[in-house]
């Protein structure tokens, strides 16, 4: 039974991580915490239903049934999701409720199985719970090894087969059972991608691939000489960071001029998780077409001074246009940084010939890690640091969105970029959206003032092309010669097509199909060059007039710099707007609706078993106050994790490392804590109070001392940094792991069937915690969530200690 518990726990956690990646491909990012919610909701329901039984009976038979049901329901739920995810609105409609119920169903069965194993009165509950946590710690690593060699659909089917094989170990006729599983599972695995055709993010939620397809279908109706526009997949590979796809635009047209433009500048579109992409600019019959992009558009703006042999750093590579531009302008070396290994492999492999092999150039050094982490730990100073539209918002199952890209735009991040520039070096950031430009400008000017700049506006330039903005920042003020050079560059970009007509003559068709607001055909224009000329940008005008603070305060958007402790740069809605139904953003409204749905289900799952157990008179009512204890530690655990993965990304350099260390490290150390607590079973009240004191100290140390520790250890090797990171988590993980089994051991003595109900309560309130953490972190920051977690644990300890003392 211990092996079964370990293996099942590992599989469940691996499935949770896998489903996060699947959901990221099909759903908008604000809804991705759903994966944690449905897992924990299913677990809670499973534990509660097991508690309704009169007795555990033959647990081998029950476990076998639960495992086989989980395997079948896993396939059924994902077939439904794969075909109907585009109809999920996250209201109380039929599709949303049925989708949540179906996705939670396999975890209901898995939760029932784990609850049964924990409730076994012949077993040591501390040891069993420790095994459960250690298995989960191993499971969180699995996906990072198998996703890529296998597709998401294949991993899902393989997981279902493995769950069924665990059920086989409990069968009397194992050979026959193995044969049945093999005959049913093999064709499912072979045809997994056809059975589970996961849909892309919809155009309604700004899914880029969907927008390109939708706009491509409209072209023949508006262009009579165009018969057909097809978006053809050229590359597709699942990656633990994000699923990478490349699509080409195939046009059937009787217009020879249009045909020539496609040959002159061929382009494809790169996406991560069906959105958040960039163009791939082909060389065509000659490199002239691509060169026009680098000479006339914002992609070449960082090189406006024409410095040969410059040392450049490119963060967020996408389809490699920034690297291509840097090579075109004759830089001496490029440190190219990205977190997605498959995106790099795509450029170096199947797209190598189309792109002209930019990564094969000896001047390019690739770095697979987080961009800010690279800059922070680098001993170099750069002539150019380039970020173009870096906002992939890659997500992992952490209980919150792991928005590591937001850390690229915090106040501390801009300070680190500027610190790593040479005296004449330039930071160039390209992004769309005026509100984001203003927040960047306010952040940059705040940092420059703190670094001693009396007129921070003299250190920046801003250029607009369509709705795309390029922000250039220097450590020192821009000189008159540099301002004149910018004017010359902009004039050349406009006139290079043979006429000064506010057009570049550059048409990148993949951009045109994505959105006309992102067209590179419009010539770039200066919004601000610090040579005394006027500006039409209201923030810059306010800065020149010395009223920038008043402008920020009166803006309908939140333009204050985003700090590392609240790094949600792309959330520009003020806190007050979140409570105003007329101003509340749609994604936040969906979060609240989802939380209310989970809350209703949670209450039902808790009250129903209590009524049934109490009426049967099996000792449940005397244990009922312990429901508060298990509810508190369920919500508190999720809240205590808030922000940890994000902080660890900066230290370890990659999401995969951060997720494995934080989730795996916490679970493993919590498993140790569970086993350690068994030595003090005679004094549960002391264990609870001591554990909570340790949790409080650990949380304080993490949020106060962790940044300093990470700064000190940043230059060390990855192996050493991982060791430091794991060691830093142990003081938190061990006491966290002591709380739950200590309470279970108390209630198990008088009512063994209370154990699965307690497991259910813990799971259900973890759902509530998950629903609270993301909006809570956005509104109040990670330290507030840590303080709330400590308060919840103090409440749990006081309740638990009082009940334990009374029971003794």
């Amino acid at each position: 039974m211990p092996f079964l518990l370990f293996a099942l726990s590992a599989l469940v956690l691996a499935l949770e991580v896998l489903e996060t990646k699947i959901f990221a491909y099909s759903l908008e990012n604000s809804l991705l915490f759903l994966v944690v919610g449905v897992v924990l909701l299913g677990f809670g329901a499973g534990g509660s239903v097991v508690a309704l039984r009169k007795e555990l009976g033959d647990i081998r038979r029950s476990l076998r049934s639960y495992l086989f049901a989980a395997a079948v329901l896993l396939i059924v739920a994902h077939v439904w999701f794969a075909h109907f995810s585009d109809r999920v609105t996250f209201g109380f409609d039929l599709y949303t409720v049925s989708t949540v119920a179906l996705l939670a169903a396999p975890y209901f069965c898995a939760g029932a199985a784990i609850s049964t194993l924990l409730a076994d009165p012949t077993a040591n509950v501390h040891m069993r719970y420790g095994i459960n946590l250690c298995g989960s710690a191993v499971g969180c690593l699995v996906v990072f090894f198998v996703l890529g060699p296998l597709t998401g659909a294949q991993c899902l089917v393989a997981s279902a087969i493995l769950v069924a094989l665990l059920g086989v170990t409990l069968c009397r006729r194992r050979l026959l059972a193995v044969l049945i599983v093999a005959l049913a599972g093999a064709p499912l695995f072979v045809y997994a991608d056809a059975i589970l055709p996961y849909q892309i993010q919809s155009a309604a939620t700004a899914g880029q691939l969907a927008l390109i397809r939708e706009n491509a279908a409209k072209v023949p109706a508006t262009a009579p000489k165009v018969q057909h526009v097809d978006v053809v997949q050229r590359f597709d590979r699942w990656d633990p960071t994000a699923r990478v796809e490349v699509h080409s635009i195939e046009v059937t047209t009787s217009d020879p001029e249009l045909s020539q433009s496609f040959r002159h500048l061929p382009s494809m579109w790169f996406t991560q998780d069906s959105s958040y992409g960039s163009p791939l600019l082909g060389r065509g019959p000659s490199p002239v077409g691509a060169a026009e992009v680098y000479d006339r558009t914002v992609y070449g703006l960082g090189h406006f001074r024409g410095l040969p042999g410059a040392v450049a750093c490119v963060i967020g590579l996408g389809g490699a246009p920034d690297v291509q531009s840097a090579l075109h302008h004759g830089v001496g070396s490029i440190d190219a940084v990205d977190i997605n290994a498959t995106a790099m492999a795509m450029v170096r492999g199947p797209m190598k010939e189309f792109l002209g092999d930019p990564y094969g150039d000896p001047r390019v050094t690739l770095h697979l890690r987080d961009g800010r982490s690279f800059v922070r730990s680098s001993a170099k100073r750069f002539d150019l640091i380039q970020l173009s539209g870096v906002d992939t918002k890659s997500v992992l199952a952490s209980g919150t969105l792991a928005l590591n890209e937001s850390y690229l735009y915090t106040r501390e991040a801009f300070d680190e970029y500027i610190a790593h520039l040479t005296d004449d070096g330039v930071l160039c950031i390209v992004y769309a959206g005026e509100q984001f430009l203003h927040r960047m400008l306010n952040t940059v000017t705040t940092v420059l003032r703190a670094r001693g700049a009396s007129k921070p506006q003299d250190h920046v330039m801003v250029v607009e092309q369509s709705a795309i903005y390029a922000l250039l920042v220097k450590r020192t003020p821009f000189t008159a010669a540099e301002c004149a050079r910018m004017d010359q560059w902009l004039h050349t970009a406009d006139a290079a097509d043979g006429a000064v007509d506010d057009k570049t003559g550059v048409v990148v068709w993949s951009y045109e199909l994505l959105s006309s607001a992102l067209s590179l055909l419009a010539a770039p224009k200066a919004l601000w060059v610090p040579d005394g000329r006027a500006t039409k940008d209201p923030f810059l005008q306010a800065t020149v007039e010395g009223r920038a603070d008043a402008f920020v305060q009166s803006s309908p958007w939140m333009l204050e710099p985003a700090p590392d402790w609240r790094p949600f740069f792309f959330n520009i809605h003020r806190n007050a707007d979140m409570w105003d139904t007329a101003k509340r953003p749609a994604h936040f409204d969906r979060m609240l609706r989802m939380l209310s749905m989970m809350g209703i289900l949670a209450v039902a799952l808790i009250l129903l078993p209590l009524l049934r157990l109490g009426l049967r008179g099996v000792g449940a009512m005397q244990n009922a106050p312990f429901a508060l204890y298990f509810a508190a530690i369920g919500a508190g655990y999720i809240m205590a994790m808030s922000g940890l993965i994000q902080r660890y990304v900066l230290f370890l350099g990659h999401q995969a490392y951060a997720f494995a260390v934080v989730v795996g490290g916490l679970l493993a150390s919590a498993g140790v804590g569970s086993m350690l607590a068994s030595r003090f079973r005679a004094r549960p009240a002391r264990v609870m109070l001591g554990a909570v004191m340790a949790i409080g100290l650990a949380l304080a140390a993490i949020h106060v001392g962790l940044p300093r520790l990470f700064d000190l250890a940043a230059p060390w090797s990855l192996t050493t940094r991982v060791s430091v990171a794991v060691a830093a988590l142990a003081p938190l993980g061990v006491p966290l792991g002591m709380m739950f089994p200590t309470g279970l051991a108390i209630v198990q003595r008088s009512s063994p069937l209370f154990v699965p109900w307690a497991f259910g309560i813990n799971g259900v309130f973890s759902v509530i915690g998950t629903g609270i953490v993301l909006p809570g972190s956005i509104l109040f920051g990670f330290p507030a969530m840590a303080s709330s977690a400590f308060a919840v644990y103090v409440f749990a300890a006081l309740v638990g200690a009082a009940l334990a003392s009374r029971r003794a």
Side-chain angles (χ1 to χ4, degrees), residues 512-524:
E512 298 290 335
L513 288 177
L514 178 63
S515 171
S516 58
L518 302 178
S519 175
L520 298 181
L521 180 60

Side-chain angles (χ1 to χ4, degrees), residues 43 71 99 123 135 228 237 246 296 364 396 410 479 530 550 555 569 584 686-687 720 725 763 774 787:
F43 260 60
T99 298
H228 186 68
R237 183 177 174 86
V246 175
R296 306 180 194 175
V364 178
L396 292 173
T410 63
T479 64
S555 173
F569 173 85
R584 182 186 301 157
R686 291 190 179 183
V687 171
T720 305
L774 179 57
S787 299

Side-chain angles (χ1 to χ4, degrees), residues 187-429:
L188 287 174
F189 181 80
V190 171
Y191 297 103
D193 291 299
I195 296 168
L196 301 173
Y198 292 113
Q199 299 186 54
I200 60 176
Q201 294 182 36
S202 69
T205 58
Q208 290 185 357
L209 183 54
L211 283 171
I212 288 175
R213 287 179 173 174
E214 186 178 276
N215 291 331
K218 297 176 181 177
V219 170
T222 56
K225 292 185 178 181
V226 175
Q227 288 76 49
H228 186 68
V229 180
D230 197 13
V231 182
V232 181
Q233 187 183 79
R234 298 298 182 186
F235 180 85
D236 179 19
R237 183 177 174 86
W238 288 80
D239 182 273
T241 301
R243 184 179 179 179
V244 173
E245 293 176 284
V246 175
H247 290 79
S248 64
I249 314 299
E250 307 292 336
V251 179
T252 303
T253 177
S254 56
D255 186 342
E257 186 177 340
L258 186 59
S259 295
Q260 176 59 29
S261 72
F262 276 96
R263 289 192 295 270
H264 181 69
L265 179 54
S267 67
M268 299 187 190
W269 193 258
F270 156 89
T271 55
Q272 298 187 88
D273 287 336
S274 75
S275 198
Y276 311 110
S278 78
L280 278 76
L281 303 174
R283 295 175 65 87
S286 71
V288 174
E292 292 173 352
V293 177
Y294 313 135
D295 288 332
R296 306 180 194 175
T297 76
V298 288
Y299 276 108
L301 196 61
H303 306 276
F304 78 98
R305 295 174 298 176
L307 300 178
V311 178
C313 174
V314 175
I315 296 174
L317 304 182
D322 288 322
V323 172
Q324 291 172 303
S325 179
L327 294 173
H328 171 75
H329 287 284
V331 299
S333 66
I334 306 171
D335 286 294
V337 191
D338 201 283
I339 60 172
N340 194 317
T342 299
M344 290 183 178
M346 173 269 296
V347 174
R348 301 178 74 176
M351 296 296 138
K352 173 181 175 180
E353 184 176 348
F354 177 79
L355 295 170
D357 192 19
Y359 294 169
D361 192 291
R363 292 172 288 175
V364 178
T365 303
L366 296 175
H367 302 273
L368 181 64
R369 64 182 300 177
D370 169 72
R372 178 167 166 205
S373 171
F374 171 79
V375 171
R376 169 186 278 187
S377 61
S378 176
K380 287 185 178 181
R381 294 177 70 186
F382 301 96
D383 299 306
L384 173 66
I385 299 177
Q386 178 79 44
L387 294 87
S388 295
V390 186
D391 64 345
T392 57
K393 299 183 178 65
S394 302
V395 184
L396 292 173
S398 61
T400 70
L401 293 182
L403 299 180
N404 72 302
E405 287 80 9
S406 290
Y407 272 103
L408 292 173
Y409 300 103
T410 63
R411 180 177 57 222
E412 293 85 350
F414 277 97
D415 187 65
E416 290 171 6
Y417 299 147
I418 294 171
H420 281 80
L421 291 174
T422 60
D423 289 341
D424 287 323
V426 169
L427 166 66
C428 181
I429 299 179

Side-chain angles (χ1 to χ4, degrees), residues 473-539:
V473 185
K474 273 187 69 182
R475 288 167 61 100
T476 56
F478 282 102
T479 64
E482 287 172 327
C483 292
R485 184 70 187 90
M486 173 59 74
D487 286 338
Q488 181 185 349
W489 191 93
L490 293 172
H491 174 77
T492 302
D494 188 349
D497 62 342
V500 180
D501 54 1
D502 293 333
K503 293 182 180 180
T504 61
V506 176
V507 178
V508 179
W509 285 105
S510 53
Y511 256 132
E512 298 290 335
L513 288 177
L514 178 63
S515 171
S516 58
L518 302 178
S519 175
L520 298 181
L521 180 60
K525 299 290 183 183
L527 279 183
W528 172 253
V529 176
D531 60 358
R533 74 185 71 177
T535 176
K536 294 181 180 180
D537 183 82
F539 177 83

